[in-house]
């Protein structure tokens, strides 16, 4: 099949392309799923961290304001020279600090000098130190309160400073109360958690980090193409703030982002989630290492490949089946058309054969017919001669007898020629009518009457006027003429010449038998007599078509024909399904 060939590689190519595409898409899907799962997990984690940070700051937010209301503090600020009062305050701050769990609580006068501190007894304590330059001091003087993250000037420990201006009843500022929150513990708690947690301040510097190497690094966003602002490194207690270049890869559906960082642990890809802490002006950043799960991608790809191949083969199979079915239907239609054509051709050939056989029979009959017609003509000429004599004698009675004889002779001749005409007519095999078998036998005998008389054949008949069958009368007549003809041929030159034609009922059929005394058919010929062109007669006399055509005619009418030997001759039996008589009365009148 030439149109199929070029399609095969195309199909293979399409399947292969589909395979690649499905594996690729499945990988993409697996990755996306992984990211979204990770995103959800990380978001929960981030929310938790934000909460703990918020709680920590919140707990201490009000504390400076409350302590600032203390009258003892106000009194000391107004009269700071009393050493015993100073020590009392130191002790109080120490106790407060211990109970609240803050880092350090300390009090500054208007010049920024610490006059009391909770760590007054510790080495490197704040007392006496001047913090006028610190933003939390300046902010509190300016705005009443301030917050500031920075490394302690004295201790070098980073902390979150919360400050509050101390005012007297008249609203006059006396000094500043400050509180330093040390967040190292919180940071240590984070260390064991998955991912890298960063608290980034307004300057984009990580002030807290779950991994120490990330602390005090500058997160450099590439979007900010402007030159990085100079960062005050002293504030964080280090010499230089080293930047970390963030290279964004792509945003994720959940609001996260994939980015690449040349971090302390080398160049890695991270999933980054941020949450702003608006009150402090910080941003909480969570970085989760973004390793695409190879196993998941592989198994998704494998599953997709399997599904794709199964579908592709299913479609191929269905397509092939459809094609086969179409082909089969087309072949069947072609075959049916062929059978119809052949049947029509066969029918036509058969009709032609029947006609040819009939003509052959007519040819065989012609000699007898010439004799048949010649005889009455001679007889009539004699009768006419007698008539002339009788006319002279004027004997009307004898003349009438003479004329009656002539009339009889003419009637016979008319009947014979009429039959011959009908017999010779070509009748299509399809024609069917109801007919009486007796009449068919009558007509056939009439056609062969001359020969029968000439050969002095005795005809014995068993009639059955109710023997009605369906079929074509002319064709049945042809069958009978054939049978009778063969019988007469067989009996020619035999001492006993007897023809027995009988009609009998057998169940739902009529049996028409024609038997002769012609010596029968040789056993080896019995099976062959119905074959076309089988003849034992000399060339020119027999065509071997008569019985073959007769057999065909009987079969076509739904009947059967058999041959055998009985007594001293052959017997042909035709079996035809009985038809209902057209009218019982009419059938009755024909009887007898
Ligand atoms: P044809 O008569 O042209 O030979 P048929 O088909 O009518 O062709 O007959 C075929 C042969 O069957 C005859 O040649 C003859 O040998 C044999 N046959 C037919 N009828 C008889 C019969 N009644 N008795 C003996 N032989 C017969």
């Amino acid at each position: 099949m030439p149109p199929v060939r070029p399609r095969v590689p195309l199909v293979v190519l399409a399947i292969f392309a589909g395979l690649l595409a499905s594996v690729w898409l499945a990988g993409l899907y697996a990755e996306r799923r992984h990211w979204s799962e990770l995103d959800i997990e990380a978001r929960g984690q981030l929310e938790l961290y934000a909460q703990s940070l918020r709680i920590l700051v919140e707990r201490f937010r009000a504390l400076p304001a409350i302590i600032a209301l203390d009258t003892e503090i106000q009194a000391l600020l107004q009269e700071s020279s009393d050493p015993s009062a100073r020590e009392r305050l130191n002790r109080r701050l120490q106790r407060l600090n211990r109970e609240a769990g803050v880092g350090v609580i300390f009090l500054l006068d208007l010049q920024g000098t610490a006059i009391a501190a909770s760590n007054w007894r510790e080495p490197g304590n704040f007392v006496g130190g001047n913090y006028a330059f610190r933003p939390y001091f300046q902010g509190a003087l300016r705005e009443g309160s301030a917050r500031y993250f920075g490394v302690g000037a004295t201790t070098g420990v980073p902390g979150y400073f919360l400050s509050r201006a101390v005012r007297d009843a008249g609203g006059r500022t006396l000094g500043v109360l400050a509180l330093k929150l040390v967040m190292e513990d919180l940071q240590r708690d984070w260390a064991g958690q998955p991912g890298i947690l960063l608290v980034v301040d307004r300057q984009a510097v990580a002030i807290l980090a779950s991994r120490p190497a990330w602390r005090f690094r500058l997160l450099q966003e590439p979007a900010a193409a402007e030159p990085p602002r100079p960062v005050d490194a002293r504030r964080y207690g280090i010499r230089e703030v080293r930047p970390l270049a963030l290279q964004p890869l792509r945003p994720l559906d959940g609001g996260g982002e994939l980015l690449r960082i040349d971090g302390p642990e080398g160049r890695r890809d991270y999933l980054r989630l941020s949450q702003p802490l608006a009150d402090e002006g910080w941003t909480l950043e969570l970085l989760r290492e973004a390793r695409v799960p190879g196993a998941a991608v592989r198994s998704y790809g494998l599953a997709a490949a399997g599904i794709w191949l199964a579908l592709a083969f299913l479609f191929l199979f269905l397509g092939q089946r459809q094609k086969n079915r179409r082909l089969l239907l087309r072949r069947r239609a072609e075959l049916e058309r062929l059978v119809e054509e052949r049947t029509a051709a066969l029918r036509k050939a058969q009709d032609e054969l029947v006609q040819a056989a009939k003509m052959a029979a007519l040819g065989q009959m012609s000699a007898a017919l010439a004799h048949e017609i010649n005889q009455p003509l001679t007889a009539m000429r004699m009768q006419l001669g007698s008539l002339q004599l009788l006319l002279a004698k004027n004997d009307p009675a004898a003349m009438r007898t003479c004329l009656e004889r002539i009339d009889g002779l003419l009637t016979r001749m008319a009947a014979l020629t009429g039959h011959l005409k009908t017999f010779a007519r070509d009748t299509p095999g399809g024609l069917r009518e109801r007919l009486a078998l007796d009449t068919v036998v009558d007509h056939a005998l009439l056609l062969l009457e001359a020969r029968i008389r000439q050969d002095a054949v005795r005809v014995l008949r068993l009639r059955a006027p109710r023997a009605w069958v369906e079929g074509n009368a002319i064709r049945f007549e042809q069958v009978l003429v054939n049978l009778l003809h063969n019988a007469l041929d067989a009996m020619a030159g035999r001492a006993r010449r007897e023809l027995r034609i009988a009609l009998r009922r057998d169940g739902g059929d009529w049996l028409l038998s024609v038997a002769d005394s012609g010596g029968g058919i040789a056993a080896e010929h019995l099976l062959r007599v119905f074959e076309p062109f089988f003849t034992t007669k000399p060339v020119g006399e027999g065509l071997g078509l008569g019985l073959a055509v007769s057999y065909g005619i009987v079969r076509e009418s739904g009947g059967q024909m058999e041959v055998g030997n009985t007594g001293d001759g052959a017997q042909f039996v035709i079996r035809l399904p009985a038809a209902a008589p057209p009218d019982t009365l009419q059938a009755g009148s024909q009887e007898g």
Side-chain angles (χ1 to χ4, degrees):
M1 272 183 257
V4 174
R5 275 197 177 280
R7 274 180 57 190
V8 171
L10 217 75
V11 167
V12 171
L13 213 72
I15 290 179
F16 193 66
L19 190 70
L20 288 184
S22 59
V23 168
W24 179 67
L25 283 174
L28 229 61
Y29 174 75
E31 216 183 296
R32 183 171 280 224
R33 238 183 102 104
H34 169 75
W35 291 138
S36 77
E37 276 167 10
L38 191 64
D39 190 279
I40 290 169
E41 186 196 315
R43 198 157 285 287
Q45 198 186 350
L46 191 68
E47 187 58 52
L48 225 66
Y49 292 145
Q51 203 61 31
S52 64
L53 199 65
R54 233 179 262 128
I55 287 169
L56 180 79
V57 176
E58 210 57 46
R59 220 167 73 208
F60 302 110
R61 192 195 298 284
L63 203 58
I66 296 166
I67 302 171
L69 288 176
D70 196 306
T71 44
E72 203 176 349
I73 286 176
Q74 293 183 9
L76 189 69
L77 280 173
Q78 279 162 339
E79 190 49 68
S80 58
S81 48
D82 179 4
S84 67
R86 219 181 249 232
E87 192 180 322
R88 234 187 359 262
L89 187 61
N90 272 336
R91 283 184 199 283
R92 265 200 78 198
L93 289 182
Q94 187 181 3
R95 207 169 48 246
L96 262 173
N97 184 50
R98 205 173 33 243
E99 267 155 34
V102 199
V104 188
I105 305 175
F106 55 108
L107 186 64
L108 307 169
D109 64 10
L110 280 175
Q111 281 72 49
T113 306
I115 53 171
S118 60
N119 61 356
W120 63 291
R121 270 194 177 152
E122 293 164 24
N125 68 71
F126 291 4
V127 180
N130 189 277
Y131 301 100
F133 63 96
R134 300 290 271 172
Y136 56 86
F137 175 73
Q138 292 169 0
L141 285 187
R142 215 170 35 245
E143 280 144 40
S145 72
R147 302 170 193 194
Y148 176 78
F149 184 91
V151 171
T154 318
T155 56
V157 176
Y160 193 34
F161 294 88
L162 304 174
S163 60
R164 180 83 189 196
V166 182
R167 294 194 174 118
D168 65 2
R172 201 161 51 90
T173 305
L174 303 173
V176 169
L177 184 93
L179 189 149
K180 180 182 178 188
L181 285 180
V182 178
M183 292 166 149
E184 306 306 298
D185 284 350
L186 184 72
Q187 195 177 237
R188 250 194 306 283
D189 285 348
W190 291 344
Q193 300 297 321
I196 300 159
L197 191 73
L198 304 174
V199 178
V200 178
D201 69 5
R202 269 187 230 278
Q203 305 197 73
V205 173
I207 53 174
L208 291 176
S210 61
R211 293 189 194 170
W214 292 71
R215 202 170 187 189
F216 302 126
R217 299 292 295 262
L218 175 71
L219 298 192
Q220 208 167 48
E221 306 280 348
E226 60 200 62
R229 275 174 285 123
V231 176
D232 173 20
R234 274 179 309 150
R235 175 178 175 179
Y236 307 105
I238 51 177
R239 223 178 292 127
E240 178 200 13
V241 174
R242 278 182 299 147
L244 279 175
L246 307 188
Q247 182 193 339
L249 296 176
R250 67 190 160 90
L252 294 175
D253 293 344
E257 176 191 17
L258 271 187
L259 40 75
R260 181 162 299 162
I261 306 176
D262 261 321
E265 284 137 57
R267 173 182 289 227
R268 299 242 174 112
D269 289 352
Y270 295 93
L271 165 75
R272 174 213 213 177
L273 286 177
S274 315
Q275 176 150 339
L277 298 166
D279 286 342
E280 268 58 54
W282 299 340
T283 312
L284 201 56
E285 305 264 9
L286 181 60
L287 300 174
R288 290 287 297 261
E289 236 170 79
R291 225 171 289 126
V292 177
V297 169
R298 259 195 306 282
S299 57
Y300 268 80
L302 226 64
I307 291 170
W308 165 256
L309 282 181
L311 279 180
F313 284 116
L314 185 73
F315 274 122
L316 275 184
F317 169 71
L318 287 180
Q320 192 59 38
R321 208 172 65 164
Q322 189 67 18
K323 211 157 69 189
N324 284 353
R325 187 175 298 160
R326 265 205 305 274
L327 211 71
L328 214 69
L329 282 180
R330 208 167 51 227
R331 290 234 178 100
R332 187 179 297 162
E334 261 166 29
L335 215 67
E336 271 166 13
R337 197 174 45 79
L338 212 69
V339 167
E340 260 166 40
E341 268 177 27
R342 290 282 152 83
T343 311
L346 219 63
R347 176 153 290 138
K348 190 158 169 276
Q350 197 186 25
D351 283 352
E352 280 166 9
L353 203 65
V354 169
Q355 186 63 8
K358 206 154 62 178
M359 287 306 158
L362 270 179
Q364 281 173 336
M365 277 190 285
S366 60
L369 281 170
H371 176 78
E372 179 72 353
I373 288 166
N374 206 31
Q375 242 187 357
L377 282 177
T378 319
M380 271 196 289
R381 197 175 295 131
M382 273 166 58
Q383 293 295 332
L384 282 172
S386 323
L387 208 62
Q388 273 175 337
L389 288 177
L390 287 173
L391 194 69
K393 273 199 226 161
N394 197 13
D395 185 348
M399 270 168 68
R400 187 168 300 120
T401 321
C402 221
L403 282 173
E404 275 167 6
R405 280 203 197 113
I406 291 173
D407 187 42
L409 287 166
L410 282 174
T411 309
R412 261 193 63 75
M413 278 172 66
L416 187 68
T417 49
H419 256 299
L420 267 176
K421 252 164 68 188
T422 333
F423 184 70
R425 206 173 65 208
D426 189 10
T427 45
L431 199 72
R432 278 174 85 84
E433 60 201 337
R434 201 196 321 245
L435 47 97
L437 282 174
D438 256 347
T439 319
V440 174
V441 177
D442 285 343
H443 288 171
L445 282 174
L446 181 69
L447 283 172
L448 295 169
E449 195 184 4
R451 170 107 191 259
I452 291 169
R453 212 170 337 107
Q454 198 178 7
D455 293 0
V457 174
R458 206 170 139 219
V459 178
L460 296 174
R461 278 191 73 180
L462 183 64
R463 290 171 161 274
R466 297 170 60 82
W468 289 88
V469 294
E470 294 244 320
N472 184 319
I474 308 273
R475 292 213 155 172
F476 279 161
E477 221 167 275
Q478 188 179 349
V479 170
L480 236 74
V481 167
N482 274 330
L483 295 184
L484 294 177
H485 223 113
N486 284 340
L488 292 176
D489 282 350
M491 291 188 294
R494 288 229 148 211
R496 205 169 77 86
R497 294 184 293 280
E498 201 174 87
L499 200 55
R500 290 187 301 278
I501 305 168
L503 264 170
R504 279 189 206 85
R505 179 84 185 207
D506 180 34
D509 300 328
W510 284 106
L511 299 182
L512 171 58
S513 62
V514 178
D516 60 55
S517 57
I521 303 169
E524 69 267 30
H525 292 162
L526 267 181
L527 285 174
R528 301 190 54 202
V529 290
F530 293 125
E531 281 175 17
F533 306 110
F534 173 79
T535 178
T536 56
K537 294 170 190 172
V539 182
E541 266 178 48
L543 276 175
L545 278 178
L547 283 179
V549 168
S550 299
Y551 189 84
I553 290 172
V554 172
R555 289 304 296 255
E556 206 178 51
S557 318
Q560 289 163 7
M561 175 145 72
E562 284 165 13
V563 61
N565 288 320
T566 57
D568 53 355
Q571 170 172 277
F572 288 85
V573 180
I574 296 171
R575 174 184 290 272
L576 288 164
D583 185 315
T584 325
L585 253 180
Q586 197 189 336
S589 71
Q590 280 188 351
E591 220 145 351

